[in-house]
């Protein structure tokens, strides 16, 4: 994601437990929320290869608030975030901690130490589907007095992408031959193993949620795509991530593989271009952005007929 200074401002009442120091009903203690994701608009769906994104109607964010065990749901409707219940700041002076995440699929039995994360083991490869899997978190400690009641998830408190995003474009330079992708796989230890997210200070971050690693992401139908976009766990691999592509050039089917590297940081956006040149698949890594932009070395893949 390109880290331009573009902001998304939403106004909404924030649910907050008010059990003491109650204020008169005509004293406006509603909270407005200012949200930023890595210095870019807080959004859900990647809509282009530069990482620009949008929210969709009825998207739901979960927020943990002090004195409330389970998260509170906020739903995106008509350009604003709203919740079923409207509660106010407890007072104007004390600091309170706000912990938020997206997407929120349930709130019952969800704890700060075990927030469900999207399953990465099944993906379509389509960039338009990334928003269903993208997991964002944010933390903000603030008081009403700090910013006139605005809880600002911005600057150092911005929402961040937790997973690592890979976008592979495929271009056929030989216009005399038809070209189409058929299927692909990504192989690396634990790249799509299920996790939960913990906001606990003692164990903050991703926690493995099962006993078994899932190390292969297989996508069986790429026929309608000219690019492959996937999310993987942030990971440092002992053995490089292996990418294997099956494609059809002319009337023959080929398979090509290459190593994509060992380090895939959370919030990184690796953009790679694959070119079919003289029967070979040439892979050029352009950038890795924040989402991070990482420049990758050029790798030439020899396509073997299968």
């Amino acid at each position: 994601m390109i880290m331009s200074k573009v902001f998304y401002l939403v106004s909404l009442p924030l649910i907050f437990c008010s059990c003491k120091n109650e204020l008169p009903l005509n004293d406006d203690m509603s909270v407005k929320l200012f949200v930023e994701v890595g210095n870019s608009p807080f959004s859900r769906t990647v809509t282009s290869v530069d990482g620009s994104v949008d929210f969709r109607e009825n998207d739901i964010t979960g927020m943990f608030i002090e004195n409330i065990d389970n998260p509170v749901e906020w739903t995106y409707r008509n350009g604003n975030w709203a919740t079923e219940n409207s509660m106010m700041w407890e007072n104007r002076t004390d600091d309170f901690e706000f912990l938020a995440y997206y997407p929120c699929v349930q709130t019952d039995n969800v704890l700060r130490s075990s927030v469900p994360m999207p399953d990465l083991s099944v993906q379509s490869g389509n960039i338009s589907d990334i928003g269903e899997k993208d997991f964002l978190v944010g933390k903000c400690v603030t008081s009403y007095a700090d910013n006139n009641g605005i809880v600002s998830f911005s600057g150092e408190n911005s929402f961040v992408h937790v997973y690592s995003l890979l976008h592979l474009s495929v271009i056929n330079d030989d216009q005399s031959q038809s070209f189409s992708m058929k299927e692909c796989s990504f192989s690396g230890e634990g790249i799509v193993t299920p996790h939960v997210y913990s906001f606990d200070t003692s164990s903050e971050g991703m926690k493995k949620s099962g006993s078994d690693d899932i190390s292969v992401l297989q996508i069986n139908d790429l026929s309608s795509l000219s690019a492959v976009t996937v999310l993987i766990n942030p990971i440092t691999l002992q053995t490089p991530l292996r990418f294997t592509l099956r494609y059809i050039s002319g009337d023959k089917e080929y398979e090509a593989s290459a190593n994509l590297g060992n380090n895939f940081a959370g919030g990184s956006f690796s953009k790679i271009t694959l070119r079919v040149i003289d029967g070979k698949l040439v892979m050029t890594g352009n950038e890795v952005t924040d989402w991070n932009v990482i420049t990758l070395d050029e790798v030439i893949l020899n396509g073997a007929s299968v």
Side-chain angles (χ1 to χ4, degrees), residues 227-245:
V228 182
T229 309
V230 298
L231 291 163
I232 63 173
N233 291 323
I235 199 165
T236 297
L237 297 166
Q238 295 295 321
T239 301
L241 179 66
R242 189 74 168 170
F243 174 70
T244 300
L245 175 70

Side-chain angles (χ1 to χ4, degrees), residues 105-222:
V105 295
Q106 67 182 75
T107 56
D108 291 342
N109 301 315
V110 174
L111 305 175
R112 287 170 169 79
S113 60
S114 186
V115 177
M117 297 180 69
D119 177 13
L120 299 184
S121 64
V122 177
Q123 300 185 55
S124 69
N126 195 327
I127 196 168
S128 66
D129 295 332
I130 288 298
E132 297 176 3
K133 304 288 187 178
D134 189 14
F135 189 73
L136 306 167
V137 297
K139 178 188 292 187
C140 181
V141 178
T142 190
S143 71
Y144 180 96
D146 285 341
N147 201 18
N148 295 321
I150 297 174
V151 177
S152 182
F153 286 96
S154 61
E156 293 182 356
N157 298 322
S158 296
F159 273 74
V160 296
H161 300 272
V162 175
Y163 291 134
S164 182
L165 176 66
L166 280 67
H167 177 80
L168 287 73
S169 298
V170 180
I171 300 171
N172 182 23
D173 279 6
D174 185 358
Q175 298 300 313
S176 67
Q177 295 286 337
S178 62
F179 174 82
S180 62
M181 296 189 296
K182 185 177 181 181
E183 62 185 63
C184 72
S185 65
F186 297 82
S187 301
E189 186 176 0
I191 58 171
V192 290
T193 296
H195 285 75
V196 295
Y197 193 87
S198 174
F199 284 105
D200 279 356
T201 303
S202 61
S203 61
E204 187 169 358
M206 294 174 61
K207 299 192 303 184
K208 189 175 172 182
S209 61
S211 58
D212 297 329
D213 281 329
I214 302 179
S215 300
V216 176
L217 171 60
Q218 178 74 37
I219 302 175
N220 292 322
D221 183 10
L222 301 175

Side-chain angles (χ1 to χ4, degrees), residues 1 17 26 32 43 50 61 90 134 158 181 189 191 208 212 220 226 233 240 243 281 289:
M1 177 178 291
C17 182
N26 61 356
K32 294 179 176 61
S43 304
D50 67 359
T61 293
E90 188 172 325
D134 189 14
S158 296
M181 296 189 296
E189 186 176 0
I191 58 171
K208 189 175 172 182
D212 297 329
N220 292 322
S226 61
N233 291 323
F243 174 70
L281 192 60
T289 67

